Amino acid sequence: MKYIGMPLGMWALFAGSFRRQLTVVFGYDAAAAKEIMKRAKPQYRKLIAKLPAFEKADRFQMNIVNCAMLGAFICSMPERPDVERLTVYYADAMMTKPMKWFCRKSGKKKFTETDIAGMQATAALKAADRNPYSWNMEYYAYPDGSGYEARFTQCGICTLMKELGLYDLTPALCHLDYTMAEAGETADFVREYTLASGGPYCDCGYRRKTR
């Protein structure tokens, strides 16, 4: 994957937030946080370079780029974080004002014909059959019309986190699904399983919020 483009843009958007939350969540002083960020940037570029190019129709490139950024910061920390604090760190680092705006904008499109058609197209693509850092999913509409479930049987984040020796920390990334759905304001996120916790699949359920 080329660094120039989305990966560079994501670093520009989020690296400062990732650095600030090192102090807020983990208690590193400003000098230590700056040093961690300095180490993380070349790590991030190295990880991006090893990833294959994503197909144009693959909607999950941003997910793996975010995972690479978090992995680079973890690998640059002097101490390995625990999953509980990492969950808070990742959510707070990602949920910047622009990201909250993006979630609200996406939330307004939730359950529209365009949204559902996009989910069905993603299910048909099965991108992980050709790219181990992407995702395969199935789409299920709820019979009562209250929403739908995206059920993932292959996960690019799991692949990359295993390669980094960080697989036990993967639930910290999984939890962001709840945070982003809440920020979207139109759907309640429901889940029973994740691959990272040993489940048969990752279920991402979205139910319309009732007023």
Side-chain angles (χ1 to χ4, degrees):
M1 182 186 295
K2 293 181 179 180
Y3 180 69
I4 301 298
M6 181 189 289
L8 176 58
M10 295 300 284
W11 180 267
L13 284 171
F14 291 104
S17 179
F18 273 65
R19 177 179 55 78
R20 286 190 294 274
Q21 294 304 323
L22 288 170
T23 298
V24 175
V25 178
F26 293 115
Y28 290 110
D29 62 27
K34 184 177 180 180
E35 181 62 26
I36 292 169
M37 184 172 171
K38 181 180 177 181
R39 295 177 182 176
K41 188 170 184 179
Q43 288 266 10
Y44 174 64
R45 295 191 66 153
K46 183 179 179 180
L47 289 175
I48 293 299
K50 69 169 284 186
L51 296 172
F54 273 51
E55 297 172 50
K56 187 176 182 179
D58 192 334
R59 64 193 293 166
F60 295 114
Q61 181 177 342
M62 185 182 295
N63 299 56
I64 201 66
V65 167
N66 292 341
C67 178
M69 186 179 298
L70 180 62
F73 271 86
I74 295 171
C75 292
S76 300
M77 295 180 191
E79 295 182 3
R80 198 176 196 274
D82 61 74
V83 70
E84 289 79 13
R85 284 203 294 172
L86 186 65
T87 300
V88 176
Y89 171 75
Y90 186 54
D92 290 354
M94 287 297 300
M95 298 308 292
T96 59
K97 286 183 179 180
M99 186 64 166
K100 290 177 182 177
W101 173 85
F102 172 79
C103 289
R104 288 194 299 270
K105 184 178 180 181
S106 298
K108 291 178 181 178
K109 299 177 182 177
K110 206 73 174 171
F111 311 119
T112 63
E113 290 184 4
T114 300
D115 174 51
I116 293 171
M119 297 298 291
Q120 292 172 332
T122 297
L125 184 63
K126 297 188 182 300
D129 285 354
R130 300 168 297 281
N131 180 355
Y133 300 97
S134 189
W135 282 254
N136 278 358
M137 60 158 274
E138 299 169 356
Y139 170 82
Y140 297 96
Y142 292 139
D144 61 2
S146 63
Y148 59 75
E149 176 184 307
R151 184 176 296 179
F152 295 89
T153 53
Q154 290 181 257
C155 168
I157 285 174
C158 290
T159 300
L160 183 55
M161 291 294 276
K162 284 178 181 177
E163 291 179 358
L164 295 175
L166 304 174
Y167 190 56
D168 60 306
L169 300 178
T170 305
L173 290 93
C174 302
H175 193 270
L176 192 68
D177 291 327
Y178 290 92
T179 307
M180 292 182 66
E182 183 178 354
E185 300 179 345
T186 57
D188 291 316
F189 185 80
V190 293
R191 167 176 283 157
E192 186 174 2
Y193 302 110
T194 64
L195 292 168
S197 61
Y201 48 76
C202 296
D203 52 327
C204 296
Y206 298 90
R207 292 192 179 276
R208 300 174 191 267
K209 281 186 177 290
T210 56
R211 299 291 182 181

